[in-house]
């Protein structure tokens, strides 16, 4: 992008690629369903986003072009208003009379976008981006879009309910299918891919994402769906996705994000990049809308019947081998496809099976598809309705043909070879120091292959932990208690009692030493909650454990209030490290302030592979959130207060964690709920795995328990294995 000096990711020069370019459906499913195993698709994702943001596909109108350059004449606020005006779209020309299946089909075609609603915000809430006024506004928007297991439903869950109410299982949108049975047109996947891909590359597309988000909040997500709401409501569709949209709040936060970005630096190139995001969102939507009204998808009853023939053809041919219609072999017509299907339908219409205009008197309806006919239940309820409507409209005047199918706009390239990508990852990152690794993991959007490296790095670290717990005599090998929800709750409650008993009863004024109230693991402190960043996952936000863990992550970052952001509070508590402690997390110099051990690196790396290491993250998070509450946090608070005004932020950090991590209704309670929710899913889906999954959770809990309340010998043993004395930011 010539107008951008933003950094591009390092995908690995020379990494092999397969021969064939990915398709929109393949790319969407890979990135949305299983990113951790589809890192090799990130390179084509970046190339696609860059192509859709190009001036060719996202042109700026003349007024907006002038506003990007006229900094003195057009204020930031006025520029933002012009962005919104430029994003408006004309009302859709609903010419013709669509079949009754068309409105539900439009909802299905919107499925990739609706089910990934908010995915474009993912990048802005990652650890290297979120700690700013812009990041806070984007975080608050994602909190609204993802929902909260304790208070409200997320947008994707609402859209899933809309799909189900119209007869489309949400999972079918991303399930593998034969090409002729694809649930959505390619252009529908491309429409969703723009936002999905932007969310993976915040360092490269940060400003473009602000523009895209402004359009989605102020104009989108789908004006055509708004127009069809009355007809959908009449057929009993669940319209919470529309009725409960926080439109005013989201639009206001989106505007604030743009204004804060321009307050940081208001230049013509930055304005152009934001404007390009608005233009790309609008252009993508209009292409999709034109496709819905054109020939990309069925529109009339005849179109839907033809689509049904095409979808069933693979398995229908042999069933019609001996059937002839007007001297033509039905099996051969089915096998030929295309125009032959049109001919087949015309011959059915002209046969004795059909009485034009009267489906009830048509033998195809009254006999062929009934219990007495050869095709009983070979058609769905919706297909039977399409057949009836098609027969009813036979003989009506032919309407003007719809416009040609809308072509794809994006550039689709082959994915990388996963084995060669793994080779590159080890060559690039295998010899780096812990400090260099931590920097790369924190900025993984610029180093995608490190996700692959991180998976193996964490697996090896966990193997070391398991070996240590099972074999180091100093750790007193232990087996977890047999799991039940009550046992887990009692285990956590016992931890609180340990915390209380561990409190220092000596007056803090008598023992306070400079710095003694501060964090014991400084790098973890300014990355507080980093292990949870992967739970900004729209796809899995409906799982209760994902919801709680993202809720904790958002809380660690101040719930969208910068002054409440734990990382910022801890930075201010570490002023003795010098001014570099306030450097952005993209700056490599920040990391030189700390001695970083393998445990800290693994704690950050695990956030890039939440599916693979979900049990370990649940145990790690529960152990960290339960640490210090009622115990060491109170001691640290008192010590910091005794040090005087210069330790205000140290005192605040300790006091804040003692309250926000509380066991009754705070982070510890949410963490326990996440464990219990996950284990219930395991029990229902794979009960034979219950003990194994619980053991994976318990090991990480046990690790932090040793750091917090173990004997000096146990602590020393773990410190030798992992180079850290706590996984928590304090305590």
């Amino acid at each position: 992008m010539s107008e951008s000096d933003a950094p591009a990711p390092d995908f690995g020069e020379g990494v092999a690629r397969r021969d064939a370019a990915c398709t929109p459906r393949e790319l969407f499913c890979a990135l949305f369903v299983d990113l951790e195993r589809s890192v090799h698709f990130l390179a084509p994702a970046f190339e696609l986003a860059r192509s859709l943001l190009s001036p060719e596909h996202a042109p700026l109108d003349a007024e907006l072009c002038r506003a990007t350059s006229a900094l003195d004449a057009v204020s930031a606020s006025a520029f933002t208003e012009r962005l919104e005006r430029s994003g408006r779209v004309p009302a859709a020309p609903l010419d013709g009379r669509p079949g009754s299946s068309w409105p539900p089909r439009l909802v299905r075609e919107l499925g990739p976008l609706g089910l990934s609603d908010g995915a474009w915000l993912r990048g802005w809430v990652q650890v290297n981006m979120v700690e700013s006024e812009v990041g806070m506004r984007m975080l608050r928007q994602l909190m609204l879009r993802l929902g909260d297991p304790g208070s409200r439903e997320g947008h994707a869950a609402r859209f899933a309910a809309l799909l189900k109410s119209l007869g489309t299982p949400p999972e079918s949108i991303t399930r593998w299918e034969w090409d002729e049975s694809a649930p959505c047109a390619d252009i529908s996947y491309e429409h969703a891919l723009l936002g999905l891909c932007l969310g993976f590359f915040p360092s490269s597309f940060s400003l473009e994402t602000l523009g895209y988000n402004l359009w989605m909040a102020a104009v989108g997500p789908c004006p055509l769906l708004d127009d069809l709401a009355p007809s959908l409501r009449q057929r009993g569709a669940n319209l919470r996705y529309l009725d409960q949209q926080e439109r005013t709040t989201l639009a206001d936060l989106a505007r604030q994000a743009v204004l804060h970005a321009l307050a940081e630096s208001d230049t013509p190139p930055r304005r152009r990049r934001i404007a390009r995001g608005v233009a790309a969102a609008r252009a993508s939507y209009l292409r999709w809308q034109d496709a819905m009204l054109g020939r990309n998808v069925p529109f009339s009853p005849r179109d839907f019947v033809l689509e049904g023939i095409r979808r069933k053809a693979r398995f229908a041919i042999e069933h019609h081998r001996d059937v002839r219609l007007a001297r033509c072999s039905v099996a051969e017509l089915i096998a030929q496809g295309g125009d032959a299907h049109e001919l087949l339908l015309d011959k059915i219409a002209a046969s004795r099976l059909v009485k034009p205009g009267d489906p009830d008197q048509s033998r195809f309806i009254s006999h062929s598809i009934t219990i007495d006919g050869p095709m009983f239940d070979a058609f769905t309820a919706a297909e039977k309705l399409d057949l009836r409507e098609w027969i009813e409209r036979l003989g009506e005047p032919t309407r003007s043909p719809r416009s040609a199918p809308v072509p794809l706009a994006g550039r689709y390239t082959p994915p990388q070879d996963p084995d060669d990508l793994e080779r590159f990852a080890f060559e690039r990152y295998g010899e780096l120091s812990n400090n260099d690794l931590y920097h790369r993991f924190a900025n993984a959007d610029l180093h995608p292959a490190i996700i692959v490296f991180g998976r193996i790095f964490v697996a090896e670290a966990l193997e070391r932990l398991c070996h240590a717990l099972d074999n180091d005599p100093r750790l007193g090998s232990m087996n977890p208690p047999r799991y039940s929800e009550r046992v887990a709750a009692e285990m956590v409650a016992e931890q609180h009692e340990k915390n209380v008993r561990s409190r220092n009863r000596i007056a803090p004024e008598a023992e306070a030493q400079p710095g003694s109230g501060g964090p014991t693991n400084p790098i973890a402190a300014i990355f507080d909650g980093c292990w949870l960043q992967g739970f900004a996952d729209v796809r899995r936000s409906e799982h209760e454990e994902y919801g709680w863990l993202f809720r904790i992550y958002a809380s660690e970052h101040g719930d969208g209030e910068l002054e409440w952001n734990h990382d910022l509070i801890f930075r201010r508590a570490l002023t003795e490290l010098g001014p570099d402690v306030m450097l952005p997390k993209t700056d490599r110099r920040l990391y030189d302030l700390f001695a970083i051990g393998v445990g800290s690196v693994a704690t950050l790396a695990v956030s890039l592979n939440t599916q693979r290491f979900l049990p370990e993250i649940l145990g790690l998070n529960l152990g960290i959130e339960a640490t210090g509450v009622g115990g060491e946090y109170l001691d640290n608070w008192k010590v910091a207060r005794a040090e005087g005004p210069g330790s205000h932020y140290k005192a605040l950090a300790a006091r804040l964690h003692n309250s926000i991590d509380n066991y009754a209704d705070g982070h510890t309670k949410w963490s326990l709920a996440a464990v219990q929710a996950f284990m219930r899913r395991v029990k229902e889906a794979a009960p034979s795995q219950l003990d194994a999954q619980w053991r994976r959770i318990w090991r990480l809990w046990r690790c932090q328990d040793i750091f917090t309340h173990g004997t000096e010998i146990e602590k020393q043993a773990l410190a030798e294995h992992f180079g850290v004395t706590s996984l928590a930011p304090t305590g």
Side-chain angles (χ1 to χ4, degrees), residues 492-502 629 663 709:
V492 173
E494 182 183 355
Q495 189 76 359
H496 187 265
E497 294 174 5
K498 290 181 182 179
N499 290 348
V500 173
R501 289 197 300 268
S502 72
V629 177
Y663 282 54
H709 298 299

Side-chain angles (χ1 to χ4, degrees), residues 562-609:
L562 190 58
E563 290 302 308
W564 301 352
N565 184 288
H566 295 193
D567 293 0
L568 181 60
I569 291 171
F570 274 124
R571 286 177 187 263
R572 291 169 172 170
L574 292 167
T575 53
E576 67 269 16
L577 297 179
D580 281 0
V581 79
M582 302 304 292
L583 288 171
K585 289 169 180 171
T586 53
D587 194 318
R588 175 61 184 82
R589 293 172 297 170
L590 171 68
Y591 302 84
D592 290 332
L593 301 176
F594 308 98
I596 302 176
V598 66
S600 296
V601 177
T603 301
L604 178 56
V606 77
S607 70
L608 305 178
N609 288 278

Side-chain angles (χ1 to χ4, degrees), residues 442-481:
N443 294 276
D445 63 307
L446 292 175
H447 309 278
I450 207 166
I451 301 173
V452 177
F453 181 81
R455 182 169 64 245
I456 298 169
F457 182 93
V458 172
E460 291 180 351
L462 289 172
E463 185 177 349
R464 289 169 57 188
L465 174 62
C466 294
H467 181 80
L469 289 175
D470 292 342
N471 296 283
D472 192 323
R474 294 172 295 175
L475 297 175
S477 177
M478 292 175 60
N479 290 314

